[in-house]
Amino acid sequence: MRSGLLFILLCGCLYGQQAGVEGIAVDSITHQPMPRVHITLRPVTADGPNAEVIYGAISKPDGHFSIAGMKPGIYFVSAQRNGYFHMAGKSQAGRSQADKNQKERLDTSVTLHDGEQINDFTVEMTPRGVIAGRLTDEFGDPVQQVNVEAVAAIAGSPESKVPVEMNTSTDERGQYRLILPPGKFYVKTTAESMRMFSVFDESVYGTTWYPQAGRKEQADAVEIKPGQEALAIDIRLVPKRSLKISGVVTGLKDNTAGASILLFSNPEGFSLTSAAEAQPDGTFTIRGLTPGHYRLMAKQTLAGKTLQSEVADFQLGSSDETGVSLALIPGQTLSGNLEIEGDAAKTLTEKLTIRVEAYSPHEGGRPTGSDVGQDGSFQIAEVFPEKFRVKVAGLPENAYIKKVRAGGVESPDAVLDLSSGVDGARIHVTISRNGGQLEGSVTGDDGEPLRSPIAFVCLASTPADLGGGDFKPVKAGEKFTYHGLRPGRYRLIAVDGQQFTGEFDDPAAAFRIAAEIEIHEGDRITKDAKVIDVAAR
């Protein structure tokens, strides 16, 4: 008997004491208790809420609920009831005095320690709102099966943080209806969805913002209060100017196999916009374009050999771009040598690989590289005229690329401009072992410890770095570290892992509001990163 009791006590010590949450569900407007609210708590992992483990309860007629038998950890809190949105929950337990003074501050997660019983958790439910209207073309005819989306107008507002799908499709009469949390919203059509339907093959429309705006800056925001319906929010599609680019590809090696024409837009990284096939005589035309900044290139691959043109970089204005000439040429060999600054030995002891990749990443700019010989020499095959960023794999700890020289001229930021040709070019790469170092923790925007279980951190030198998704995951209570940093000015960006989708809609906006850090060679910097509002996407 005593041995059995001892076993039970040992089990209790091994698994820890169970925790629990007790509280009340209320209407956020009337502050009256709410019955029949389904409250669920899911353990949060580095990958997000665990859908396989759920603790839950339904609030009683007096609004009270109680959940027991929970393991210690961080839990994502959600609640449901028809006609309402769960904006957040709150508890005074375990809060700092600064948090307690901010009555309006709400949480979507709760942390339970071993054996902890929280008995004052409040779940606030807000009556839903509705935005409804009709979508028509420029002639006033209804447009069906087109996506309509609401976008929170105010960064950081409660409605911008509610995890709800804010989009729908128009019906056969062009009508739409969006069920939303109360707040201010911009309403827009999504141009990409229009291309799915043949009715739009010839008519070209841009994304249109309510009531009839081609840009968000020209749109009207719609405000809905709890329980309110904003009707007659009608949108009339804005036709966009349809332009074309045409020209000829020269240097084709087989008049039966046309070259692929690749068109890229967005100067912050150049994503593939369109692809076309040149005719056997080399002529090509790309239609349905809007004014903007574009890059154009041609490629032809035969029997494993690639021919590629230089990249044509131009601004498409109010008229068509005609007479574009793209000359195909074979790749050429780029030679050079590498040295590690301060190393007296003539022979490299590290195994290094040097690569060059397109400075503005795009599908046509595949990286190419070569191992570095013990004497520091290297030869990179199949390099085409372009701007390249030089990278070295296998660097010693805390080392960075200090200098890149081509023809005796130093290239800033390890960017090599070979747009005028590769043949005969030779580069020299200098490595320093004394790069900067940065470490720190992630905090909330108030400087208090981050309550979310995970955050993502990026050290960016340009907004384009954010578009590349170069983010480090940082668990709560852990530190982030960067080594081998090149001297320069950076922005330290941290985002809450529970809100971040993996990319920013507007990297430049996020870059602007992030903290700036200047790093010199050999610096050892400790600096915490405050999360920025993910609504700055």
Side-chain angles (χ1 to χ4, degrees):
M1 183 71 167
R2 292 180 62 187
S3 62
L5 179 60
L6 179 60
F7 175 77
I8 294 173
L9 291 173
L10 284 173
C11 286
C13 293
L14 287 172
Y15 291 101
Q17 300 181 47
Q18 294 181 328
V21 176
E22 183 179 345
I24 187 171
V26 301
D27 185 306
S28 66
I29 306 303
T30 66
H31 304 291
Q32 294 299 309
M34 289 187 61
R36 304 187 309 279
V37 176
H38 293 246
I39 297 116
T40 57
L41 279 76
R42 294 178 174 86
V44 178
T45 67
D47 298 322
N50 185 342
E52 297 180 0
V53 180
I54 300 176
Y55 296 92
I58 300 176
S59 63
K60 298 177 181 179
D62 62 358
H64 280 88
F65 67 91
S66 178
I67 305 174
M70 301 174 65
K71 295 180 180 179
I74 301 173
Y75 290 84
F76 177 77
V77 183
S78 62
Q80 290 182 321
R81 181 178 161 176
N82 288 340
Y84 286 81
F85 277 106
H86 173 224
M87 302 301 284
K90 61 184 177 183
S91 169
Q92 295 295 325
R95 286 176 170 270
S96 68
Q97 188 59 47
D99 275 347
K100 292 178 181 178
N101 292 337
Q102 297 184 42
K103 300 296 184 184
E104 75 286 356
R105 183 160 194 159
L106 303 176
D107 292 331
T108 54
S109 64
V110 61
T111 301
L112 291 174
H113 301 289
D114 192 19
E116 182 179 13
Q117 303 294 321
I118 294 178
N119 56 17
D120 64 347
F121 197 85
T122 301
V123 172
E124 294 196 354
M125 306 296 292
T126 302
R128 72 182 188 183
V130 172
I131 293 179
R134 190 165 178 261
L135 178 65
T136 60
D137 60 20
E138 73 270 35
F139 306 108
D141 296 325
V143 181
Q144 63 177 322
Q145 297 301 310
V146 172
N147 192 65
V148 179
E149 178 183 356
V151 179
I154 303 173
S157 61
E159 63 268 24
S160 71
K161 300 179 181 179
V162 175
V164 59
E165 293 292 332
M166 299 185 184
N167 62 80
T168 188
S169 293
T170 56
D171 62 18
E172 67 277 4
R173 294 175 293 180
Q175 295 178 338
Y176 72 91
R177 183 179 176 88
L178 292 162
I179 309 298
L180 302 168
K184 272 191 173 182
F185 297 90
Y186 292 112
V187 184
K188 69 171 183 174
T189 63
T190 304
E192 285 74 12
S193 68
M194 300 178 192
R195 301 192 187 113
M196 296 170 59
F197 305 96
S198 60
V199 68
F200 293 104
D201 285 349
E202 298 301 327
S203 300
V204 180
Y205 295 94
T207 295
T208 303
W209 299 78
Y210 169 78
Q212 189 179 10
R215 294 187 300 153
K216 181 178 177 181
E217 294 75 17
Q218 301 168 332
D220 293 341
V222 180
E223 183 173 9
I224 49 173
K225 299 186 182 301
Q228 178 189 2
E229 294 191 358
L231 306 177
I233 307 301
D234 298 336
I235 306 172
R236 178 164 287 198
L237 290 172
V238 176
K240 62 181 180 181
R241 185 187 301 275
S242 180
L243 301 172
K244 68 179 181 181
I245 299 174
S246 61
V248 62
V249 179
T250 61
L252 289 167
K253 293 302 182 184
D254 183 344
N255 61 8
T256 63
S260 296
I261 312 299
L262 304 178
L263 182 72
F264 305 89
S265 63
N266 176 12
E268 292 291 356
F270 288 95
S271 54
L272 183 63
T273 300
S274 181
E277 191 83 4
Q279 299 297 315
D281 63 357
T283 60
F284 67 90
T285 301
I286 301 177
R287 305 178 186 275
L289 303 176
T290 56
H293 187 186
Y294 292 93
R295 307 182 89 196
L296 188 67
M297 64 181 295
K299 292 179 66 175
Q300 185 185 39
T301 301
L302 292 172
K305 293 292 185 181
T306 299
L307 301 176
Q308 183 174 306
S309 73
E310 293 185 12
V311 176
D313 197 334
F314 57 88
Q315 188 77 26
L316 194 60
S318 58
S319 58
D320 297 337
E321 187 79 22
T322 60
V324 176
S325 180
L326 301 174
L328 292 173
I329 60 173
Q332 298 170 324
T333 299
L334 177 64
S335 301
N337 67 295
L338 179 147
E339 67 170 350
I340 298 180
E341 193 174 58
D343 283 15
K346 296 294 183 182
T347 301
L348 290 176
T349 57
E350 288 86 3
K351 181 176 176 58
L352 304 177
T353 299
I354 190 163
R355 294 188 297 119
V356 290
E357 61 183 38
Y359 174 58
S360 296
H362 54 65
E363 193 173 303
R366 60 182 178 84
T368 182
S370 165
D371 289 339
V372 179
Q374 287 191 327
D375 61 352
S377 65
F378 57 85
Q379 287 191 327
I380 304 175
E382 282 204 318
V383 178
F384 295 93
E386 172 66 287
K387 279 187 178 181
F388 297 99
R389 189 180 295 278
V390 177
K391 295 189 174 183
V392 180
L395 284 173
E397 184 178 359
N398 209 43
Y400 73 98
I401 300 175
K402 185 172 184 177
K403 296 177 184 177
V404 175
R405 295 197 307 274
V409 179
E410 185 172 336
S411 302
D413 300 324
V415 174
L416 189 65
D417 190 353
L418 298 177
S419 301
S420 59
V422 179
D423 194 25
R426 185 173 179 83
I427 64 174
H428 181 87
V429 180
T430 303
I431 303 297
S432 169
R433 294 182 181 270
N434 196 25
Q437 296 183 14
L438 172 68
E439 73 169 15
S441 300
V442 181
T443 71
D445 55 6
D446 56 359
E448 295 290 326
L450 185 68
R451 289 190 293 274
S452 182
I454 192 168
F456 293 95
V457 177
C458 181
L459 190 65
S461 56
T462 69
D465 295 336
L466 298 181
D470 188 19
F471 285 86
K472 287 187 174 185
V474 182
K475 294 182 180 179
E478 296 184 356
K479 291 183 177 292
F480 61 86
T481 58
Y482 287 92
H483 299 278
L485 296 174
R486 180 184 177 88
R489 293 181 181 272
Y490 297 85
R491 299 287 177 132
L492 183 59
I493 292 102
V495 291
D496 189 327
Q498 288 184 302
Q499 299 181 26
F500 192 46
T501 61
E503 61 182 11
F504 291 94
D505 290 340
D506 188 353
F511 188 83
R512 283 194 301 270
I513 66 176
E516 185 177 72
I517 299 176
E518 185 169 5
I519 295 175
H520 302 92
E521 189 172 60
D523 275 351
R524 304 294 183 265
I525 298 174
T526 299
K527 183 176 179 63
D528 291 341
K530 291 184 179 181
V531 295
I532 64 172
D533 200 303
V534 76
R537 290 177 294 172

